[in-house]
Amino acid sequence: MSLAVNATPLGMTEGDPLPMDVARLDPAALVGEVVMRAEITPFLRAAAARGCALQVGTDMLFEQIPAYLDFFGFPTTTPEHLRHLAQGRAD
């Protein structure tokens, strides 16, 4: 499976060009996004139209935070717990 990730700020502003030519994406590719302004950015929408699996920006962030905390020696958590907190539930 191929992997393509938009790790640029393209997509944060309306009218931005796509970060890459989506016509070159393999429909079996996993396409990820780091932009979190909208859950489904124009890039992800175009990748979905090609049949690609998607990874939204907030999920990328939730998966990275535990590794950051661990790296810097802080108590860590799980991506699932972070998603739970982001939905406004502290239990």
Side-chain angles (χ1 to χ4, degrees):
M1 175 186 283
S2 299
L3 173 67
V5 178
N6 175 23
T8 76
L10 292 174
M12 291 185 63
T13 304
E14 186 68 34
D16 279 350
L18 296 179
M20 66 186 73
D21 180 3
V22 295
R24 298 184 66 193
L25 291 174
D26 179 343
L30 172 61
V31 177
E33 177 68 90
V34 298
V35 172
M36 294 183 291
R37 183 159 296 220
E39 183 168 333
I40 302 298
T41 62
F43 176 57
L44 291 182
R45 195 171 9 268
R50 289 195 52 77
C52 299
L54 307 180
Q55 182 74 50
V56 299
T58 52
D59 282 343
M60 298 270 283
L61 178 66
F62 292 149
E63 293 293 330
Q64 293 171 17
I65 288 174
Y68 292 155
L69 292 171
D70 184 58
F71 179 81
F72 289 107
F74 293 108
T76 192
T77 187
T78 65
E80 294 77 19
H81 182 71
L82 292 168
R83 286 183 188 94
H84 186 76
L85 291 174
Q87 293 172 355
R89 298 189 304 246
D91 55 325

